[in-house]
Amino acid sequence: METPLDAAHRLDTALLARWAAHPTHQAIVDGDDILLAGEVRDRAVHTATLLRERGVRPGDRVAVLLERSADFVIAVTAVVLAGGAHVAIDTANPGERVQFLLDDSEPRLLLTSAALRATLPDDLGTAVLTVEECAEAPASAGEFTPAPDLADSPAVIIYTSGSTGRPKGSLLSHRGVSARLRSLQNSHPIDDGDRVLHHTACTFDMFLVEVYWPLLHGAAIVVAAPGRQRDPDHLARLIREQRVTTVWWVVSLLELFLLALRPGERVDGLRQALTGGEALSPELVRRFHSRSDATLSNLYGPSECTMYCTAWVCPRDPDPATVLIGSAIEDTTLRVLDEQGRPVAPGEPGELYIGGVGVSLGYHNRPELTAERFVKDPVDPAAGLLYRSGDLVREHTPGQLEYLGRVDRQIKIRGFRIEPGEIEGTIRTAPGVRQAAVIAHGTGPETRLVGFVVLDEDGTDLSLLSVSTHLADRLPAHMVPAALIPLDHFPLTPNGKLDHAVLTTRAEEALPAATGSACAQDASDLVSVIADIWSEVLGAGPLGPADDFFALGGDSFRAIRAVRELEARTGLQVPMHLVFEASEVAEFAAAIAEETAGR
């Protein structure tokens, strides 16, 4: 029997073994560029050597700030080859967020591009190596030797939202990542005949599946263009033209993708689709099965347990009436416990505690929080630590779990795990803000964040605009509330606590209103037609040429509805990405005119 590539429980040695065995297999498809496994190996080893020359030692952290690309894939693999742990930073983050992540993770070095380095302050406090410098550096003459004893060292740090207002970095070990990928390969095998789409933002730990899983098992990575990861037309074209067989979707993006398909359009090139990150509805499963012959698997697991810890293949014919998160994958322990830490009876709800090889090494430089969330197993104190997930589940059938919701305030929007407390803390740092509260309004893909503020003075549009700007400069876009509502004081319950029910009722008032004057109602005028459609989709009043779709509360789902309605009324074929690139009424009309002029 062949020894598995990850027998040493390490990503670096497994990658090197795979590349050495099959150097001519296609490894990365990035636009028109195709890189073979041997080329990826040579560039990754070269970069890893330069990282070591710049002082990176086993256990060090290396920040990676690059657009989604072949360069990004090579950079993160180079970090693990050098013996370090990569901290991948989303290039869409505002500058202050980038600086926080650098300060908190304390990397030995930042690996980025010259163009992105130019956007950062000179006094970063972190040494920098650019991919251009890597490309220009002469190759090392010596043989590359992996560092010793890395199995239980961190390979990856994933930052998630923090309830105290401070994001926290979860330390994922070589052993944990290797075990998860091995489990996934055993249940959903891929080989050199497969192609895996890489589109997930590096803030999700599931981007590791899209990068390391295909690299370790010979499949090619197909890279989605930067900024186009939520453009369903772009993704559908990649799947079709690049013959993608395997895709991971966060549930909301799966919803978005299916909504964007035209009547009768199918996605039968896919062989298997994985989803998770949010609750999966039976209706969405039914719609996917009606559009594709691929299997659909629901994966569940917080970042603190390395990508996923349960899995369930959604049955078809008939489609399920209840979607489960499934049973424990290999090398995983699950406990469903009550508030006193005692096992609940079968079928009763309880909080899910997760143990096993995938449990992370804790939070970087957060010993108190680590001790709070990673606890002894009350059933078997001699066993390893359990991660207290905060998720409410119950055993639906023997060994099969159903997700019921959260036991705390944490929410999920488009798969992003969000702690309202972090947003509230950031709002309170804005000048003139005395109090802040954030709630999630709506359900499923319609969920939006709504912020409530009590200002030092009477709320004005200027004050709220300054608060919104303050947030946009400090938080990722998915954490910025769609609207802010000023209040004279916060509503309280009889026992003096903030009355979230009242705020939820008031959230309907948060829908932004159009600011422009109405466009002339000429049916032949594309600007007028767009303004009319956007007004309907957004539930806003008359729109003017300068009104912005996203500033008025639009999102990816409403964008799809707006584009499809525009196509129905005009007969035009409108590329979905235009609404993201030209989001004002007149600007969008001009972009459509330019796009269709040559047809």
Side-chain angles (χ1 to χ4, degrees):
M1 181 175 178
E2 184 179 357
T3 301
L5 295 176
D6 65 344
H9 311 292
R10 295 172 49 157
L11 288 174
D12 58 337
T13 53
L15 287 169
L16 290 170
R18 178 73 208 188
W19 291 333
H22 304 283
T24 59
H25 284 179
Q26 289 189 7
I28 304 175
V29 179
D30 183 8
D32 294 330
D33 296 329
I34 298 177
L35 276 69
L36 303 182
E39 296 174 277
V40 175
R41 174 200 58 203
D42 292 346
R43 289 178 57 182
V45 166
H46 176 62
T47 302
T49 301
L50 295 175
L51 291 174
R52 288 180 174 178
E53 291 175 358
R54 298 295 181 97
V56 174
R57 296 293 177 264
D60 283 347
R61 293 156 302 283
V62 176
V64 176
L65 180 68
L66 289 167
E67 297 278 12
R68 186 185 306 103
S69 59
D71 283 342
F72 173 83
V73 173
I74 290 166
V76 294
T77 55
V79 173
V80 299
L81 291 183
H86 56 73
V87 185
I89 300 176
D90 193 340
T91 58
N93 277 336
E96 186 162 320
R97 181 78 165 198
V98 173
Q99 188 65 61
F100 169 84
L101 294 174
L102 291 175
D103 292 343
D104 192 76
S105 63
E106 304 169 302
R108 174 73 65 180
L109 185 139
L110 168 65
L111 186 52
T112 187
S113 67
L116 288 169
R117 176 64 184 95
T119 68
L120 301 173
D122 293 333
D123 56 343
L124 272 181
T126 304
V128 177
L129 175 66
T130 67
V131 292
E132 290 81 6
E133 290 172 323
C134 293
E136 294 169 1
S140 173
E143 183 178 351
F144 183 83
T145 304
D149 305 323
L150 287 182
D152 294 306
S153 296
V156 182
I157 301 182
I158 295 290
Y159 272 84
T160 60
S161 182
S163 59
T164 61
R166 179 182 167 195
K168 52 193 184 294
S170 187
L171 304 166
L172 309 185
S173 69
H174 279 261
R175 186 184 301 274
V177 177
S178 297
R180 289 297 190 248
L181 295 174
R182 181 172 62 253
S183 176
L184 189 59
Q185 178 65 10
N186 287 342
S187 60
H188 296 73
I190 57 175
D191 57 28
D192 56 9
D194 286 291
R195 291 188 165 205
V196 178
L197 183 64
H198 172 35
H199 65 97
T200 298
C202 61
T203 48
F204 277 120
D205 60 349
M206 291 303 288
F207 93 86
L208 302 171
V209 166
E210 299 174 349
V211 170
Y212 288 108
W213 186 29
L215 287 179
L216 288 172
H217 296 285
I221 300 170
V222 176
V223 180
R228 302 290 293 278
Q229 65 270 14
R230 292 189 68 82
D231 179 349
D233 285 349
H234 172 67
L235 299 182
R237 185 168 60 254
L238 273 181
I239 290 171
R240 181 175 61 252
E241 295 178 356
Q242 296 297 338
R243 306 182 308 283
V244 169
T245 63
T246 303
V247 177
W248 150 261
W249 307 104
V250 69
V251 169
S252 60
L253 187 52
L254 174 61
E255 171 92 19
L256 190 70
F257 182 78
L258 294 177
L259 284 173
L261 295 178
R262 290 173 171 81
E265 186 177 357
R266 293 184 58 81
V267 194
D268 285 331
L270 285 179
R271 185 171 63 80
Q272 53 187 357
L274 313 174
T275 191
E278 299 165 293
L280 178 64
S281 70
E283 190 274 337
L284 189 57
V285 173
R286 180 193 60 77
R287 279 197 283 136
F288 177 82
H289 283 163
S290 71
R291 296 292 193 133
S292 178
D293 292 329
T295 60
L296 179 64
S297 297
N298 191 27
L299 309 186
Y300 160 85
S303 298
E304 288 83 351
C305 296
T306 310
M307 299 182 286
Y308 82 118
C309 60
T310 73
W312 190 65
V313 179
C314 301
R316 63 165 83 217
D317 302 325
D319 292 319
T322 301
V323 175
L324 306 180
I325 60 173
S327 58
I329 62 173
E330 48 194 85
D331 300 319
T332 299
T333 300
L334 302 181
R335 309 279 191 216
V336 184
L337 307 178
D338 64 16
E339 293 179 352
Q340 285 72 45
R342 300 170 303 196
V344 302
E348 292 298 314
E351 184 176 354
L352 181 61
Y353 289 64
I354 305 162
V357 69
V359 173
S360 84
L361 303 174
Y363 299 117
H364 174 63
N365 281 351
R366 304 290 292 278
E368 299 85 1
L369 187 59
T370 297
E372 175 188 329
R373 303 304 298 182
F374 297 84
V375 299
K376 288 185 178 180
D377 186 342
V379 177
D380 182 6
L385 296 178
L386 300 178
Y387 173 68
R388 185 175 183 176
S389 72
D391 287 331
L392 194 67
V393 302
R394 72 180 181 93
E395 193 175 49
H396 184 269
T397 54
Q400 301 290 328
L401 297 180
E402 178 185 2
Y403 175 81
L404 301 176
R406 292 289 302 172
V407 299
D408 54 22
R409 292 189 62 208
Q410 188 183 100
I411 56 176
K412 286 282 190 78
I413 293 184
R414 302 198 310 275
F416 290 100
R417 195 170 86 183
I418 296 173
E419 294 279 4
E422 180 179 352
I423 306 171
E424 292 165 351
T426 306
I427 295 175
R428 285 192 290 268
T429 65
V433 174
R434 284 196 290 120
Q435 293 177 285
V438 173
I439 67 166
H441 175 64
T443 59
E446 302 295 329
T447 304
R448 288 187 290 168
L449 295 172
V450 178
F452 296 85
V453 294
V454 176
L455 302 171
D456 287 336
E457 301 176 352
D458 292 339
T460 65
D461 289 342
L462 180 60
S463 298
L464 293 179
L465 178 59
S466 67
V467 174
S468 294
T469 302
H470 180 85
L471 295 179
D473 289 342
R474 290 161 175 79
L475 295 174
H478 65 270
M479 294 180 68
V480 177
L484 292 173
I485 298 178
L487 298 176
D488 293 332
H489 57 82
F490 278 163
L492 302 178
T493 63
N495 62 3
K497 294 184 178 181
L498 180 64
D499 195 332
H500 284 90
V502 172
L503 295 185
T504 300
T505 300
R506 294 194 180 186
E508 286 291 348
E509 305 168 13
L511 291 174
T515 57
S517 57
C519 298
Q521 294 302 300
D522 178 356
S524 64
D525 180 0
L526 187 58
V527 172
S528 173
V529 175
I530 292 170
D532 183 50
I533 292 172
W534 284 11
S535 177
E536 292 176 10
V537 169
L538 297 172
L543 270 62
D547 274 315
D548 186 286
F549 185 84
F550 297 103
L552 294 174
D555 54 30
S556 300
F557 295 91
R558 291 175 175 84
I560 286 177
R561 291 203 294 269
V563 168
R564 292 295 178 252
E565 178 62 22
L566 180 61
E567 290 178 334
R569 292 194 193 184
T570 64
L572 296 171
Q573 290 287 307
V574 181
M576 193 66 63
H577 67 89
L578 292 183
V579 72
F580 297 98
E581 298 170 359
S583 57
E584 293 182 1
V585 172
E587 183 184 38
F588 184 50
I592 292 172
E594 181 178 354
E595 178 76 20
T596 58
R599 295 181 185 174

